[in-house]
Amino acid sequence: MNAYIKGQIELFQKVNRNRGRLLVSCSDQPGIVSAISQFLFSYQANIIESSQYSTNPEGGVFFIRIEFECPGLKEKAKEMEEQFAAIAETFSMDWKLTHVYHVKKAAIFVSKELHCLLELLWEWQSGDLMADIALVISNHEEARDAVEGLNIPFYYIPANKDIRAEVETKQLELLKEYDIDLVILARYMQILTPDFVAANPNKIINIHHSFLPAFVGARPYERAHARGVKLIGATSHYVTNDLDEGPIIEQDIARVDHRNDVDNLKKIGRRIERSVLARAVKWHIEDRIIVHQNKTIVF
């Protein structure tokens, strides 16, 4: 990591040293917001942002994301988590309390196509992607210069289906060594095994080169062109063991017509992929996503 980016992260941590985020999901019932607000008030916390949603006020599921400022948060954090656990038990909550000063560590996996990787690196350099990109792993060498030019460790690990278990063992060791919070598949063209996915639940974000569920699998643009589609798009989702079936985080589209050949469709598609993946990653690192069943609530 170069000195400029390191300085940006240190400034961010200083500014947000007392900033916390609380994500909650549970059965909808009276008193949830009151209990959370009273809890935060008891620690002199000031709510900065609050977003909530209920699938149905009568027997539905309630979701809330709260961002707050709390003096001395680092010193209070352990006690706050212990005390909130009692409230969570009362309402049968699934919950997560995060601290903004903890900048998430990300690993990027990439193959030959670099457009999504380069977009993430640009957002990171500009300070708009507030994460610690700790390493990049690739089964090809194409990305090495761009990555090492920013003083990010680059690991070339050739991969194919015949050595997948051996490759993933090396990858998991690196993720553990660097204490990675998030894995970003920036057009990494290898299928991950169930063991790898199970080791990183809701921590692997993929970009798919079509507007799911249409044109799943190989050669999507060729098939889209042959079908004469009028819309193409991209989908970013969490990775599960069901190929390209994980909870969708973000999607976008562009209009096309008969004038667009396959190469032109691919260029348009790459532009969409870059922005869709970047937004999904930002929302994850900002703790804006709650996964519920096979869907996401994005605040």
Coordinates of all heavy atoms in Angstrom, one line a residue, residues 25-84:
S25 N -32.2 -8.1 12.3 CA -33.3 -8.7 11.7 C -34.0 -9.6 12.7 O -33.3 -10.3 13.5 CB -33.0 -9.5 10.4 OG -32.1 -10.5 10.7
C26 N -35.3 -9.6 12.7 CA -36.1 -10.4 13.7 C -37.6 -10.4 13.3 O -38.0 -9.7 12.4 CB -35.9 -10.0 15.1 SG -36.5 -8.3 15.4
S27 N -38.4 -11.2 13.9 CA -39.8 -11.2 13.7 C -40.3 -9.8 14.1 O -40.0 -9.3 15.1 CB -40.5 -12.3 14.5 OG -40.1 -13.5 14.1
D28 N -41.2 -9.3 13.2 CA -41.7 -7.9 13.5 C -42.7 -8.0 14.7 O -43.5 -8.9 14.8 CB -42.5 -7.4 12.3 CG -42.6 -5.9 12.3 OD1 -42.3 -5.3 13.3 OD2 -43.1 -5.3 11.3
Q29 N -42.5 -7.0 15.6 CA -43.3 -7.0 16.8 C -43.1 -5.6 17.5 O -42.1 -4.9 17.2 CB -42.8 -8.1 17.8 CG -41.3 -8.0 18.1 CD -40.8 -9.3 18.8 OE1 -41.1 -9.6 19.9 NE2 -40.0 -10.0 18.0
P30 N -44.0 -5.2 18.3 CA -43.8 -3.9 19.0 C -42.6 -3.8 19.9 O -42.2 -4.8 20.5 CB -45.1 -3.7 19.8 CG -46.1 -4.7 19.2 CD -45.2 -5.8 18.7
G31 N -42.0 -2.6 19.9 CA -40.9 -2.4 20.9 C -39.5 -2.5 20.4 O -38.6 -2.2 21.2
I32 N -39.3 -3.0 19.2 CA -37.9 -3.2 18.7 C -37.1 -1.9 18.6 O -36.0 -1.8 19.2 CB -38.0 -3.9 17.3 CG1 -38.7 -5.2 17.4 CG2 -36.5 -4.1 16.8 CD1 -38.9 -5.9 16.0
V33 N -37.7 -0.9 17.9 CA -37.0 0.3 17.7 C -36.8 1.0 19.1 O -35.7 1.6 19.3 CB -37.8 1.2 16.8 CG1 -37.1 2.6 16.7 CG2 -37.9 0.6 15.4
S34 N -37.8 1.0 19.9 CA -37.6 1.6 21.3 C -36.5 0.9 22.1 O -35.7 1.6 22.7 CB -39.0 1.4 22.0 OG -38.8 1.9 23.3
A35 N -36.4 -0.4 22.0 CA -35.4 -1.1 22.8 C -34.0 -0.7 22.3 O -33.1 -0.5 23.1 CB -35.7 -2.6 22.7
I36 N -33.9 -0.7 21.0 CA -32.6 -0.4 20.4 C -32.2 1.1 20.7 O -31.0 1.4 21.1 CB -32.6 -0.6 18.9 CG1 -32.8 -2.1 18.6 CG2 -31.3 -0.1 18.2 CD1 -32.9 -2.4 17.1
S37 N -33.1 2.0 20.6 CA -32.9 3.4 20.8 C -32.5 3.6 22.3 O -31.5 4.4 22.6 CB -34.1 4.2 20.5 OG -34.4 4.1 19.1
Q38 N -33.2 3.0 23.2 CA -32.9 3.1 24.6 C -31.5 2.6 24.9 O -30.8 3.1 25.7 CB -34.0 2.4 25.5 CG -35.3 3.2 25.5 CD -35.2 4.5 26.2 OE1 -34.5 4.7 27.2 NE2 -35.9 5.5 25.7
F39 N -31.2 1.5 24.3 CA -29.9 0.9 24.5 C -28.8 1.8 24.1 O -27.8 2.1 24.8 CB -29.8 -0.4 23.7 CG -28.4 -0.9 23.6 CD1 -27.8 -1.6 24.7 CD2 -27.6 -0.8 22.4 CE1 -26.4 -2.1 24.5 CE2 -26.4 -1.2 22.3 CZ -25.8 -1.9 23.4
L40 N -28.9 2.4 22.9 CA -27.9 3.3 22.4 C -27.8 4.6 23.3 O -26.8 5.1 23.6 CB -28.2 3.7 21.0 CG -28.0 2.6 19.9 CD1 -28.4 3.0 18.6 CD2 -26.5 2.1 19.9
F41 N -29.0 5.1 23.7 CA -29.0 6.3 24.6 C -28.3 6.0 25.9 O -27.7 6.9 26.4 CB -30.5 6.7 24.8 CG -30.7 7.8 25.8 CD1 -30.3 9.1 25.4 CD2 -31.1 7.6 27.1 CE1 -30.5 10.2 26.2 CE2 -31.3 8.7 27.9 CZ -30.9 10.0 27.5
S42 N -28.4 4.8 26.4 CA -27.8 4.5 27.7 C -26.2 4.6 27.6 O -25.6 4.7 28.6 CB -28.2 3.1 28.1 OG -27.6 2.1 27.3
Y43 N -25.7 4.5 26.4 CA -24.3 4.7 26.2 C -23.9 6.0 25.6 O -22.8 6.2 25.0 CB -23.7 3.6 25.3 CG -23.6 2.2 26.0 CD1 -24.7 1.3 25.9 CD2 -22.5 1.9 26.8 CE1 -24.6 0.1 26.6 CE2 -22.4 0.7 27.4 CZ -23.5 -0.2 27.3 OH -23.4 -1.4 28.0
Q44 N -24.8 7.0 25.7 CA -24.7 8.4 25.2 C -24.4 8.4 23.7 O -23.7 9.2 23.1 CB -23.5 9.1 25.9 CG -23.8 9.4 27.3 CD -23.5 8.2 28.2 OE1 -22.4 7.6 28.1 NE2 -24.4 7.9 29.1
A45 N -25.0 7.4 23.0 CA -24.8 7.3 21.5 C -25.8 8.2 20.8 O -27.0 8.2 21.2 CB -24.9 5.9 21.0
N46 N -25.4 8.8 19.7 CA -26.3 9.7 19.0 C -26.6 9.0 17.6 O -25.6 8.7 16.9 CB -25.7 11.1 18.8 CG -26.6 12.0 18.0 OD1 -27.8 11.9 18.1 ND2 -26.0 12.9 17.2
I47 N -27.8 8.7 17.3 CA -28.1 8.1 16.0 C -28.0 9.1 14.9 O -28.6 10.1 14.8 CB -29.6 7.5 16.1 CG1 -29.7 6.4 17.1 CG2 -30.0 7.0 14.7 CD1 -31.1 5.9 17.3
I48 N -27.1 8.7 13.9 CA -26.8 9.5 12.7 C -27.7 9.2 11.6 O -28.2 10.0 10.8 CB -25.4 9.4 12.3 CG1 -24.4 9.7 13.5 CG2 -25.0 10.3 11.2 CD1 -24.6 11.1 14.1
E49 N -28.0 7.9 11.4 CA -28.8 7.4 10.2 C -29.5 6.1 10.7 O -29.0 5.3 11.4 CB -27.8 7.0 9.1 CG -28.6 6.5 7.8 CD -27.6 6.1 6.7 OE1 -26.5 6.6 6.7 OE2 -28.0 5.3 5.8
S50 N -30.8 6.1 10.3 CA -31.6 4.9 10.6 C -32.5 4.5 9.4 O -33.2 5.4 8.9 CB -32.4 5.1 11.9 OG -33.2 4.0 12.2
S51 N -32.4 3.3 9.0 CA -33.3 2.8 7.9 C -33.9 1.5 8.4 O -33.2 0.6 8.9 CB -32.5 2.6 6.6 OG -31.9 3.8 6.2
Q52 N -35.2 1.3 8.1 CA -35.9 0.1 8.5 C -36.9 -0.4 7.5 O -37.3 0.4 6.6 CB -36.6 0.3 9.9 CG -37.7 1.3 9.8 CD -38.2 1.7 11.2 OE1 -37.4 2.2 12.1 NE2 -39.4 1.4 11.5
Y53 N -37.2 -1.7 7.6 CA -38.2 -2.2 6.6 C -38.8 -3.5 7.2 O -38.1 -4.2 7.9 CB -37.4 -2.6 5.3 CG -38.2 -3.5 4.4 CD1 -39.3 -3.0 3.7 CD2 -37.9 -4.9 4.3 CE1 -40.1 -3.9 2.9 CE2 -38.6 -5.7 3.4 CZ -39.7 -5.2 2.7 OH -40.5 -6.0 1.9
S54 N -40.1 -3.7 7.0 CA -40.8 -4.8 7.4 C -41.5 -5.5 6.3 O -42.1 -4.8 5.4 CB -41.9 -4.5 8.5 OG -42.6 -5.6 8.9
T55 N -41.3 -6.8 6.2 CA -42.0 -7.5 5.1 C -43.5 -7.6 5.3 O -44.3 -7.6 4.3 CB -41.5 -9.0 5.0 OG1 -41.8 -9.7 6.2 CG2 -40.0 -9.0 4.7
N56 N -43.9 -7.5 6.6 CA -45.3 -7.4 6.9 C -45.5 -7.1 8.4 O -44.9 -7.9 9.2 CB -46.0 -8.8 6.6 CG -47.5 -8.7 6.7 OD1 -48.1 -8.0 7.5 ND2 -48.2 -9.5 5.9
P57 N -46.1 -6.1 8.8 CA -46.2 -5.7 10.2 C -47.0 -6.8 11.0 O -46.9 -6.8 12.2 CB -47.0 -4.4 10.2 CG -47.7 -4.3 8.9 CD -46.8 -5.1 7.9
E58 N -47.7 -7.6 10.3 CA -48.5 -8.7 11.0 C -47.8 -10.0 10.7 O -48.0 -10.7 9.7 CB -49.9 -8.8 10.5 CG -50.7 -7.5 10.7 CD -51.0 -7.3 12.2 OE1 -50.9 -8.3 13.0 OE2 -51.1 -6.1 12.6
G59 N -46.8 -10.4 11.5 CA -46.1 -11.7 11.4 C -45.0 -11.7 10.4 O -44.5 -12.8 10.0
G60 N -44.5 -10.5 9.9 CA -43.4 -10.5 9.0 C -42.1 -10.4 9.6 O -41.9 -10.7 10.8
V61 N -41.1 -10.1 8.8 CA -39.7 -10.0 9.3 C -39.3 -8.5 9.3 O -39.6 -7.8 8.3 CB -38.7 -10.8 8.5 CG1 -37.3 -10.7 9.0 CG2 -39.2 -12.3 8.5
F62 N -38.7 -8.0 10.4 CA -38.3 -6.6 10.5 C -36.8 -6.5 10.3 O -36.0 -7.3 10.9 CB -38.7 -6.1 11.9 CG -38.3 -4.7 12.2 CD1 -39.1 -3.7 11.7 CD2 -37.2 -4.4 12.9 CE1 -38.7 -2.3 11.9 CE2 -36.8 -3.1 13.2 CZ -37.6 -2.1 12.7
F63 N -36.4 -5.5 9.6 CA -34.9 -5.2 9.4 C -34.6 -3.8 9.7 O -35.4 -2.9 9.4 CB -34.6 -5.5 7.9 CG -34.9 -6.8 7.4 CD1 -36.2 -7.0 6.8 CD2 -34.1 -7.9 7.5 CE1 -36.5 -8.3 6.3 CE2 -34.4 -9.2 7.0 CZ -35.7 -9.3 6.4
I64 N -33.5 -3.5 10.3 CA -33.1 -2.2 10.6 C -31.6 -2.0 10.6 O -30.9 -3.0 11.0 CB -33.6 -1.7 12.0 CG1 -33.4 -0.2 12.1 CG2 -33.0 -2.5 13.1 CD1 -34.2 0.4 13.3
R65 N -31.1 -0.9 10.0 CA -29.7 -0.5 10.1 C -29.6 0.8 10.7 O -30.3 1.8 10.3 CB -29.1 -0.5 8.7 CG -27.7 0.0 8.6 CD -27.2 0.3 7.2 NE -25.8 0.7 7.1 CZ -25.4 1.9 7.2 NH1 -26.2 2.9 7.5 NH2 -24.1 2.2 7.1
I66 N -28.8 0.9 11.7 CA -28.6 2.2 12.5 C -27.1 2.5 12.5 O -26.3 1.6 12.8 CB -29.1 2.1 13.9 CG1 -30.6 2.0 13.9 CG2 -28.7 3.3 14.7 CD1 -31.3 1.8 15.3
E67 N -26.8 3.7 12.1 CA -25.4 4.2 12.3 C -25.4 5.3 13.4 O -26.3 6.1 13.4 CB -24.9 4.8 10.9 CG -23.4 5.1 10.9 CD -22.9 5.2 9.5 OE1 -23.3 4.4 8.6 OE2 -21.9 6.0 9.3
F68 N -24.4 5.2 14.2 CA -24.4 6.1 15.4 C -23.0 6.6 15.8 O -22.0 5.9 15.4 CB -25.1 5.4 16.6 CG -24.3 4.1 17.0 CD1 -23.3 4.1 18.0 CD2 -24.7 2.9 16.4 CE1 -22.7 3.0 18.3 CE2 -24.0 1.7 16.8 CZ -23.0 1.8 17.8
E69 N -23.0 7.7 16.5 CA -21.7 8.2 17.1 C -21.8 7.9 18.6 O -22.8 8.2 19.3 CB -21.6 9.7 16.9 CG -21.1 10.1 15.5 CD -19.6 9.9 15.3 OE1 -18.9 10.0 16.3 OE2 -19.2 9.7 14.2
C70 N -20.7 7.3 19.2 CA -20.7 7.0 20.6 C -19.4 7.4 21.2 O -18.3 6.8 20.8 CB -21.0 5.5 20.8 SG -21.0 5.0 22.5
P71 N -19.3 8.4 22.0 CA -18.0 8.7 22.6 C -17.3 7.5 23.3 O -18.0 6.8 24.0 CB -18.4 9.8 23.7 CG -19.8 10.3 23.2 CD -20.4 9.1 22.6
G72 N -16.1 7.4 23.0 CA -15.3 6.3 23.6 C -15.7 4.9 23.2 O -15.7 4.0 23.9
L73 N -16.1 4.8 21.9 CA -16.7 3.5 21.4 C -15.7 2.4 21.6 O -16.1 1.3 21.9 CB -17.1 3.7 19.9 CG -17.7 2.4 19.3 CD1 -18.9 2.0 20.0 CD2 -18.0 2.7 17.8
K74 N -14.5 2.6 21.3 CA -13.5 1.5 21.4 C -13.5 0.9 22.8 O -13.4 -0.3 22.9 CB -12.1 2.0 21.0 CG -11.8 2.1 19.5 CD -10.4 2.4 19.2 CE -10.1 2.4 17.7 NZ -8.6 2.6 17.4
E75 N -13.5 1.8 23.8 CA -13.5 1.3 25.1 C -14.8 0.7 25.6 O -14.8 -0.2 26.4 CB -13.1 2.5 26.1 CG -11.7 3.1 25.9 CD -11.6 3.9 24.6 OE1 -12.6 4.4 24.1 OE2 -10.4 4.0 24.1
K76 N -15.9 1.1 25.0 CA -17.2 0.6 25.4 C -17.6 -0.6 24.6 O -18.6 -1.3 24.9 CB -18.3 1.7 25.2 CG -18.1 2.9 26.0 CD -19.1 4.0 25.7 CE -19.0 5.2 26.5 NZ -20.0 6.3 26.1
A77 N -17.0 -0.9 23.5 CA -17.5 -1.9 22.5 C -17.8 -3.2 23.1 O -18.9 -3.8 22.8 CB -16.5 -2.0 21.3
K78 N -16.9 -3.8 23.8 CA -17.1 -5.1 24.4 C -18.3 -5.2 25.3 O -19.1 -6.1 25.2 CB -15.8 -5.6 25.1 CG -15.9 -7.1 25.6 CD -14.6 -7.5 26.2 CE -14.7 -9.0 26.7 NZ -13.5 -9.4 27.4
E79 N -18.4 -4.2 26.2 CA -19.5 -4.2 27.1 C -20.8 -4.0 26.3 O -21.8 -4.6 26.6 CB -19.3 -3.0 28.1 CG -20.5 -2.9 29.1 CD -20.4 -1.7 30.0 OE1 -19.3 -1.2 30.2 OE2 -21.4 -1.2 30.5
M80 N -20.8 -3.1 25.3 CA -22.0 -2.9 24.5 C -22.5 -4.2 23.9 O -23.7 -4.5 23.8 CB -21.8 -1.8 23.5 CG -21.6 -0.4 24.0 SD -21.3 0.8 22.7 CE -22.8 0.9 21.9
E81 N -21.6 -4.9 23.3 CA -22.0 -6.2 22.7 C -22.5 -7.2 23.7 O -23.5 -7.9 23.4 CB -20.7 -6.8 21.9 CG -20.3 -6.0 20.7 CD -19.1 -6.6 20.0 OE1 -18.7 -7.7 20.4 OE2 -18.7 -6.0 19.0
E82 N -21.9 -7.2 24.8 CA -22.4 -8.1 25.9 C -23.8 -7.7 26.3 O -24.7 -8.6 26.5 CB -21.5 -8.2 27.1 CG -20.1 -8.8 26.8 CD -19.1 -8.7 27.9 OE1 -19.4 -7.9 28.8 OE2 -18.1 -9.3 27.8
Q83 N -24.1 -6.4 26.5 CA -25.3 -5.9 27.0 C -26.4 -6.1 25.9 O -27.6 -6.4 26.2 CB -25.2 -4.5 27.4 CG -24.4 -4.3 28.7 CD -25.0 -5.0 29.9 OE1 -26.2 -5.0 30.1 NE2 -24.1 -5.7 30.6
F84 N -26.0 -5.8 24.6 CA -27.0 -5.9 23.6 C -27.5 -7.4 23.4 O -28.6 -7.6 22.9 CB -26.5 -5.3 22.3 CG -27.6 -5.2 21.2 CD1 -28.5 -4.1 21.3 CD2 -27.7 -6.1 20.2 CE1 -29.5 -4.0 20.4 CE2 -28.7 -5.9 19.3 CZ -29.6 -4.9 19.4

